[in-house]
Amino acid sequence: MILIIRVLAITSFLFMLIENGKIMAQSTPLVSFIPPPEESELQKEKNRYIKTLDSLLLEDRYRIIIDLGERLTMDREHEISQIPVPYLICAYYFIGNEERSKKLLNERINKQDYKALVDLLTSSEIAFIKYFSVPKNREPIIKKVIQDYKSNEKATDKLAGEQIIRFSINDQIYRKLKYAFKENDKVNQAKAFQEFKFQDSIQNAQVYAFYKKQGKYLSAKEVGETVCWYQPIILCHYDNIELRQTFFKDLLGKAVKEGSMEKTNYVHFLLRTESFTNPDFFKNLDQRVSEVRKEYDLPDYLWNPF
């Protein structure tokens, strides 16, 4: 009976906030979600809570998040009770209760391997984007990532693999930083953009130096299948057009011939480069895709701009 009352109280609390107009909802383009034809009531409820908690987080209303979130953790539906955990990790940290924040985080990441930890660090969830925007919050997790990778991944060049992992994490964290703030928050959005451009310029220099020294694209055997997959994303975001058209095009073309890079990912890179240089690229994208299907013998090719 107590649990039922709590659930009803949470639902009432949620709708009261919405009806009073105290929550300014902001959607995020990070995830393109196409709902199923018939959405279950449980899924509808989950979506309502996520939307509400996202809105509260963007308003920095941490006390309300904690009040609502702690109540939700008692819900009898596991899918509901787990929703507020990232928000609580973030909210407790930003009100100064780092001990509670770390406890919840450690419970979340307990026994996770490096792949899951990288996914967490580069998550598209607003709560994790905001929490990991603080360097001291992500550094211990990055250390756990590297430790697990070196201990358990079967790879012949783990030093190179470690560097690729770090590139991948940096690439995603700074690109997603803007989603931790409201779209109309001009001050913080400007700061997020400046930080992204600054960090991206550092990363570009480091990526070029790394591959120039390596002289090759690292294979799955050398760095592990998952880490190998991080490379196309990192390189597709590299923004020096001249080097994309020369050094990296040659490097990746060689990798395709040697079998260390999939032809599809190579074409992704080429088209991404064209999108930076051709003002009519997107207007003629269908035609261009049709051309590369024939040119590279990829009949089912679809462009993924990463």
Side-chain angles (χ1 to χ4, degrees):
M1 180 61 70
I2 293 175
L3 182 57
I4 294 174
I5 292 172
R6 284 174 174 166
V7 172
L8 290 173
I10 292 170
T11 304
S12 176
F13 177 72
L14 169 62
F15 283 105
M16 177 187 71
L17 287 175
I18 296 173
E19 292 297 322
N20 288 342
K22 293 181 179 178
I23 298 175
M24 299 299 291
Q26 174 178 324
S27 62
T28 171
L30 287 177
V31 178
S32 178
F33 175 70
I34 302 176
E38 292 186 9
E39 199 174 60
S40 69
E41 289 303 313
L42 177 60
Q43 186 60 51
K44 289 178 182 178
E45 186 177 13
K46 286 172 61 179
N47 291 342
R48 285 196 298 268
Y49 284 131
I50 291 170
K51 185 177 181 180
T52 298
L53 289 164
D54 278 350
S55 299
L56 288 168
L57 193 60
L58 290 168
E59 294 281 348
D60 297 335
R61 301 176 71 175
Y62 304 122
R63 300 286 181 181
I64 298 177
I65 290 171
I66 290 169
D67 184 46
L68 174 58
E70 290 290 6
R71 292 169 185 262
L72 282 177
T73 60
M74 298 184 291
D75 196 282
R76 63 184 178 183
E77 290 284 358
H78 180 73
E79 291 186 50
I80 298 294
S81 67
Q82 292 304 299
I83 288 173
V85 175
Y87 301 94
L88 291 171
I89 291 169
C90 186
Y92 276 118
Y93 173 78
F94 282 106
I95 68 165
N97 191 343
E98 295 187 34
E99 183 178 353
R100 175 63 173 158
S101 176
K102 287 180 180 179
K103 183 176 185 297
L104 289 170
L105 179 63
N106 288 334
E107 290 173 355
R108 174 68 178 261
I109 66 176
N110 185 35
K111 297 182 180 179
Q112 287 190 343
D113 65 10
Y114 83 87
K115 302 169 189 177
L117 292 173
V118 170
D119 287 344
L120 187 76
L121 285 163
T122 60
S123 171
S124 293
E125 294 182 52
I126 293 175
F128 282 129
I129 292 173
K130 197 174 187 74
Y131 179 77
F132 287 123
S133 69
V134 180
K136 76 172 186 177
N137 289 342
R138 62 178 182 263
E139 286 306 318
I141 312 303
I142 293 174
K143 288 180 181 179
K144 287 178 68 70
V145 167
I146 301 305
Q147 181 180 5
D148 182 76
Y149 169 73
K150 288 185 173 180
S151 298
N152 299 304
E153 183 61 89
K154 294 181 180 179
T156 60
D157 193 346
K158 293 182 181 179
L159 189 61
E162 175 184 345
Q163 184 60 72
I164 293 169
I165 289 171
R166 291 183 183 277
F167 284 150
S168 181
I169 292 170
N170 287 340
D171 176 82
Q172 293 298 304
I173 281 178
Y174 291 109
R175 271 177 167 72
K176 294 176 179 179
L177 187 58
K178 64 181 180 180
Y179 299 113
F181 307 102
K182 295 169 64 176
E183 290 179 359
N184 61 358
D185 184 349
K186 294 182 179 179
V187 173
N188 280 316
Q189 286 293 348
K191 289 180 180 178
F193 180 73
Q194 290 171 0
E195 182 66 11
F196 158 65
K197 294 304 291 183
F198 174 69
Q199 295 294 339
D200 204 43
S201 66
I202 295 173
Q203 170 119 320
N204 281 333
Q206 293 176 341
V207 166
Y208 175 61
F210 173 78
Y211 282 100
K212 190 170 180 61
K213 180 180 178 180
Q214 293 290 330
K216 61 182 177 180
Y217 178 95
L218 281 300
S219 69
K221 181 179 179 180
E222 291 170 311
V223 296
E225 186 174 349
T226 299
V227 176
C228 184
W229 167 245
Y230 295 155
Q231 293 178 99
I233 302 173
I234 296 165
L235 294 175
C236 271
H237 291 162
Y238 189 86
D239 68 1
N240 184 308
I241 302 302
E242 182 180 354
L243 288 174
R244 288 179 70 98
Q245 294 173 324
T246 54
F247 175 78
F248 284 108
K249 182 180 178 181
D250 292 343
L251 187 85
L252 300 186
K254 181 182 177 183
V256 172
K257 291 178 181 178
E258 294 175 347
S260 56
M261 183 183 198
E262 293 183 7
K263 190 192 302 182
T264 297
N265 289 333
Y266 176 63
V267 178
H268 288 337
F269 177 85
L270 295 179
L271 291 187
R272 176 84 172 191
T273 304
E274 290 181 23
S275 75
F276 293 147
T277 58
N278 182 358
D280 295 325
F281 175 80
F282 291 100
K283 185 190 302 184
N284 303 317
L285 180 58
D286 289 343
Q287 178 183 341
R288 192 70 186 96
V289 168
S290 179
E291 291 170 354
V292 299
R293 284 174 179 169
K294 295 177 182 178
E295 183 179 356
Y296 293 95
D297 191 24
L298 294 169
D300 299 319
Y301 175 77
L302 293 173
W303 184 46
N304 178 1
F306 294 113

